Structures are given as structure tokens and as C-alpha cells.
Amino acid sequence: MTIFPDKSRLLLTLGITVMLTACVTTQDFSHIPKEAGTQAALQKYLTEKSSKAFAVAESGTFSYSENGENTATAIYGALLNCEKAANARCTIAAIDNNSTLPLLKAQQSENQKLIAGMQLKHPDALMPQDNWFKPAADTVRTPSAGLHYATPTTIKGVKTINTPELVRRMKEGSVTLLDTLGFSRMNATLPGAYLLNGGDFANSDIEKNKAFEARLEKVMTRYFPDKSQALVAFCVSAECWLSVNALIHLRNIGYTNLYWYRTGITDWAYQALPFTNSYQFIAVE
């Protein structure tokens, strides 16, 4: 993967993706700052081939990544390097040769419709909650211990939320969702979710976890400066530790209104609730 930083600055899902792309013009780059260097870099970026992404800060600081293994890798590289260079929040302004501005606008409208129309397919037969009689989670689980593994039913300092309550809160607009499966879910996540890449870091060395949490806090406060904001994290199912790890880190850096959607994607699909695209990316190293 080549990185160019500038320090001056499921079938339904695929169908939705195609419709959104077909219905909008994706060459509107008016959201990219007009600085000459930034615009020149954009023009060079547009000539590159293969998977690529272009990230930019309000200041005009930019980074782009090309020749990535896949789109998710390109987005991660561009966003991470842009925020390092800018020391500020960056956004993904282009994916391949498509501007994200019209895609974001179309997706926001689509999300509103999807959320307003959400109804449980099995309101009287909720998915059973697996209970392996484990104590409440208080520390992160390392990849070497296995991240696809039975979880406890609770996390210390974090509330657990079920599907009916989550749907209600989403309709109210009173929660923000974090998909801890990361950028690979950009075409199949819950409506309105941010894609959090790297938030599940875990190491047996406590000092390395503390260093990661310092980096996480720096990133997350750019997106969610109010640490009392209601954040809901989820991953695949009750046998996925990605969301558990992320929530423990978020709790440790001072976020006070955290929710765990324990049954995650599996339960959402069981209730036949909608999946859609997201162009809201958060990268943590």
C-alpha cells in the first residue's frame, strides 16, 4: 500500500448500494478545501488505479492511500494518516473515484426512511439471551485468547440494550451506534452507524493498553466530545468480544453513557431489520 500524506494538511444490501450509487452524481468534490496543494493532490489521486481513498481535514491537510489490499484497507490508511498529519478530525472525501458527499447525503435520507419504518418481525419471540454464567466483563480479551468466544451477559460500567429498546432509541434519535466490526461492514451495517476500525485493541501488557486508550481518547473526542453522549457498540453476536473490548476502553477513558448491543448483527437479522451502507468512518491505531 502506498500512502501519500501531506502534513501541511447481503443481496438487499448490494441492491441498496447499487441504487444509491446510480441515483446520485458521485463526482461532486465541492466539499474538499480549495487550497492549491489539496486540489492538485486530488487530481493526482483521481488518476490512480485499484482500491483507493482520499481523506481531508477542514484545514486542507490531506492523505490518500492507493494500491490497498481492498477498499477497507485503503480507507483505513488514508484516514489514519490524515488525522496524524492534521492533528484533527478528517473525513473520507472520496472512495475510488467517487465523491462521498452525494453518497452521504443520499445515505442520510435513506437512514431516516429505514429507521422510521423499522418494525420487529418477531416482537413476541425475542432471540434468547445465551448465558454462560461468566462474571461481568471488566478487562479486555486478547486476540490470542480468542475474540470469537462466549461473552458474559454484562460489562462493568456499561448498560446492556436489547433489540426492541435499541429500535425505540434509534427512532427517538437518542443514541449513536458504533459498529466495531469496522470498515469491512460499510455495505451492511445498521442505519446511521459509525464504523469503528481498531477500537477492539487488547494486549496482555497493561501499559500498552493504556497507551492505546490515550490514542483512542484523542480520536474519539474529535467525533464525540461530549462524554455523556449515549453510544451503543455492537458486533456479530453474543460470541464476539470486539464490542466488549471497545466498550471497556471507552469506559476507561471517561465515557459515561455506554450501551452494549450484545446480540448484535445476528439478532438484528433475526428480527428482519434493515442493513445499509455507512460512509462514517473512525480509525484508531
Side-chain angles (χ1 to χ4, degrees):
M1 179 170 65
T2 305
I3 306 293
F4 296 84
D6 180 343
K7 294 196 174 181
S8 71
R9 200 11 259 202
L10 308 125
L11 292 178
L12 175 61
T13 298
L14 292 175
I16 293 173
T17 305
V18 170
M19 286 190 294
L20 283 173
T21 305
C23 293
V24 298
T25 301
T26 57
Q27 295 302 309
D28 179 2
F29 295 105
S30 60
H31 57 317
I32 295 180
K34 303 304 180 186
E35 282 81 0
T38 308
Q39 289 294 317
L42 174 63
Q43 295 309 311
K44 176 174 172 52
Y45 163 85
L46 291 172
T47 67
E48 302 289 355
K49 307 298 182 183
S50 75
S51 298
K52 59 185 180 178
F54 190 101
V56 66
E58 286 186 0
S59 65
T61 299
F62 64 87
S63 174
Y64 71 84
S65 173
E66 54 90 18
N67 289 331
E69 296 175 5
N70 51 52
T71 301
T73 302
I75 293 169
Y76 181 72
L79 187 57
L80 200 64
N81 281 278
C82 181
E83 293 199 346
K84 283 182 180 179
N87 195 28
R89 178 175 175 172
C90 292
T91 57
I92 294 297
I95 300 173
D96 295 329
N97 279 8
N98 297 316
S99 165
T100 58
L101 179 62
L103 296 175
L104 276 165
K105 290 179 178 178
Q107 193 58 57
Q108 288 168 354
S109 176
E110 180 73 9
N111 287 342
Q112 291 174 353
K113 295 175 183 177
L114 291 174
I115 291 170
M118 290 191 309
Q119 300 212 1
L120 304 183
K121 183 177 182 180
H122 309 289
D124 300 318
L126 301 183
M127 179 174 283
Q129 295 289 313
D130 292 316
N131 188 345
W132 293 282
F133 301 99
K134 294 180 174 294
D138 194 28
T139 57
V140 294
R141 184 180 178 88
T142 63
S144 62
L147 297 177
H148 177 65
Y149 194 79
T151 62
T153 56
T154 58
I155 303 170
K156 287 187 179 180
V158 176
K159 310 174 193 76
T160 303
I161 190 168
N162 64 15
T163 305
E165 178 69 5
L166 178 58
V167 168
R168 183 183 69 80
R169 295 289 298 269
M170 288 173 69
K171 286 177 179 282
E172 292 175 353
S174 61
V175 292
T176 299
L177 277 59
L178 301 174
D179 187 339
T180 62
L181 292 163
F183 299 169
S184 63
R185 298 291 302 184
M186 65 178 293
N187 290 329
T189 191
L190 277 59
Y194 282 80
L195 306 177
L196 175 59
N197 215 84
D200 57 292
F201 176 90
N203 195 284
S204 56
D205 186 329
I206 294 175
E207 293 307 312
K208 288 184 179 179
N209 287 326
K210 289 181 178 178
F212 168 76
E213 287 173 354
R215 298 194 300 272
L216 178 67
E217 183 170 22
K218 192 172 185 179
V219 171
M220 293 300 288
T221 51
R222 293 170 182 157
Y223 293 81
F224 313 112
D226 180 1
K227 289 189 175 182
S228 66
Q229 181 174 348
L231 300 176
V232 180
F234 65 93
C235 50
V236 176
S237 69
E239 294 181 71
C240 177
W241 276 78
L242 300 181
S243 54
V244 181
N245 285 356
L247 285 164
I248 289 172
H249 288 308
L250 290 169
R251 179 203 65 191
N252 289 350
I253 62 175
Y255 283 88
T256 60
N257 198 8
L258 299 171
Y259 292 84
W260 180 29
Y261 183 35
R262 180 174 182 253
T263 50
I265 296 289
T266 302
D267 201 347
W268 196 260
Y270 166 74
Q271 292 291 356
L273 291 163
F275 293 91
T276 190
N277 310 309
S278 176
Y279 304 103
Q280 301 182 119
F281 306 100
I282 305 174
V284 189
E285 186 176 29

